């Protein structure tokens, strides 16, 4: 199955948790509804050209401050909003006075600095192009089409609901199978004999799972069983000896679109980005004199 959907189970768990919290909220409500806080007042619009500070005659505007706060956001993430704004302004002032001093001492003329500045400018332009010409042009229709494509390309698979009894030796497993042959209850035997801690109170219940989620020996045996049947021979794995019973089987359902919409969007962005880079690289004249390095670069490009 495509990697786009491998994380769907985590998304569904998050969704289930959110729904369970909502379903509990009416039960937790008091007889008398608590006073509701006054609705937050909408923030007044900010003039990006408004001057926040002047440093040696150079103005620092709201737009400059917003940029600084955004670029340094990780450093200020734990601060309250007003402190974050003040910290961003303090940092911006420090940057300006230090930069001015660097120019005074001629650091801006240093060849290494100029190379770094050129690279940083190119990287910023690269980011701007990705933002405007790739991410900014992704449509909802393209995201839905990518989801539909993934669904169509995913071969149908079955899931099984199974139980198991894990013991240390083949002799123990053989004894359990004989008891099952005599009509013993699988769940009761699991509670009594399994060494799997999670199965001691659940009758060895493993829930629903698909191909490849268990160790190979177990996986092969469980998917070969019919519903209601148990293994006639013990199954050995790295964990010990298993006696397995299949409770039910069903076709595995693909995740809902909303569960994997963000992953589908990222896949569209990746494809658009790679297509753009390939088209620009095809038009560019790139020469790499070191033949060994060139081969490595070419091999890397071919994997994209």
């Amino acid at each position: 199955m495509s990697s786009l959907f491998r994380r769907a189970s985590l998304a569904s768990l998050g969704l289930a948790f959110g729904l369970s919290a909502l379903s509990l909220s009416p039960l937790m409500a008091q007889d008398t509804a608590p006073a509701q806080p006054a609705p937050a007042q909408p923030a007044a619009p900010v003039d990006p050209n408004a001057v926040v500070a002047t440093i040696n005659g150079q103005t620092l505007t709201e737009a400059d401050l917003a940029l600084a706060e955004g670029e340094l956001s990780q450093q200020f993430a734990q601060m309250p909003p007003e402190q974050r704004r003040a910290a961003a302004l303090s940092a911006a002032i420090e940057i300006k006075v230090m930069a001015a001093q660097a120019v005074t001492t001629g650091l801006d003329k240093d060849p290494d600095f100029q190379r770094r500045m050129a690279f940083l400018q190119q990287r910023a332009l690269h980011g701007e192009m990705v933002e405007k010409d790739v991410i900014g042009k992704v449509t909802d229709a393209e995201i839905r089409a990518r989801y539909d494509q993934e669904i169509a390309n995913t071969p149908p698979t079955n899931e099984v609901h199974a139980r198991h009894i894990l013991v240390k030796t083949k002799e123990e497993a053989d004894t359990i199978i004989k008891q099952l042959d005599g009509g013993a209850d699988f769940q009761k035997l699991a509670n009594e004999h399994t060494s799997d801690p999670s199965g001691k109170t659940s009758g060895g219940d493993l829930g629903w799972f698909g191909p490849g989620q268990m160790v190979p020996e177990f996986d092969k045996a469980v998917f070969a069983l019919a519903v209601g049947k148990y293994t006639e021979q013990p199954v050995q794995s790295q964990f010990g000896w298993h006696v397995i019973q299949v409770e039910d089987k069903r076709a595995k359902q693909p995740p809902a679109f909303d569960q994997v919409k963000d992953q589908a969007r990222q896949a569209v962005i990746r494809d658009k980005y790679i297509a753009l880079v390939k088209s620009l690289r095809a038009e560019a004249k790139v020469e790499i004199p070191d033949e060994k390095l060139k081969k490595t670069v070419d091999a890397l490009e071919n994997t994209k």
Side-chain angles (χ1 to χ4, degrees), residues 3-58:
S3 59
L4 173 62
F5 296 135
R6 288 177 187 156
R7 295 178 293 275
S9 58
L10 296 179
S12 62
L13 285 175
L15 179 62
F17 178 82
L19 292 176
S20 65
L22 289 174
S23 66
L24 287 173
S25 57
L27 301 177
M28 300 298 288
Q30 302 296 319
D31 292 337
T32 302
Q36 297 297 316
Q41 296 297 319
V46 176
D47 179 4
N49 297 314
V51 175
V52 180
T54 304
I55 304 99
N56 294 329
Q58 293 187 350

Side-chain angles (χ1 to χ4, degrees), residues 202-214:
S202 65
D205 194 2
L206 294 169
W208 289 94
F209 55 91
Q213 292 183 248
M214 300 295 178

Side-chain angles (χ1 to χ4, degrees), residues 145-156:
R146 180 54 184 261
Y147 168 82
D148 292 339
Q149 176 189 334
E150 292 285 350
I151 295 295
N153 292 343
T154 301

Side-chain angles (χ1 to χ4, degrees), residues 82-157:
E82 281 305 312
Q83 288 186 18
R84 188 160 59 240
R85 176 176 166 82
L89 177 56
S90 177
I93 292 170
E94 288 178 17
I95 289 170
K96 276 191 172 291
V97 297
M98 293 284 283
Q101 181 62 22
V103 171
T104 299
T105 58
L107 287 178
D108 59 321
K109 302 298 192 296
D110 181 81
D112 287 340
F113 170 78
Q114 291 183 344
R115 275 191 293 271
R116 185 175 176 220
M117 277 298 298
F119 177 77
L120 291 176
Q121 182 186 39
Q122 290 166 2
R123 189 170 70 173
L125 287 170
H126 167 275
E128 195 72 9
M129 191 168 184
V130 170
E131 189 68 32
K132 300 291 176 58
D133 287 2
V134 179
I135 298 174
K137 293 184 178 180
V138 172
T139 66
D140 288 342
E142 288 175 316
I143 298 172
R144 183 71 202 205
R146 180 54 184 261
Y147 168 82
D148 292 339
Q149 176 189 334
E150 292 285 350
I151 295 295
N153 292 343
T154 301
T157 58

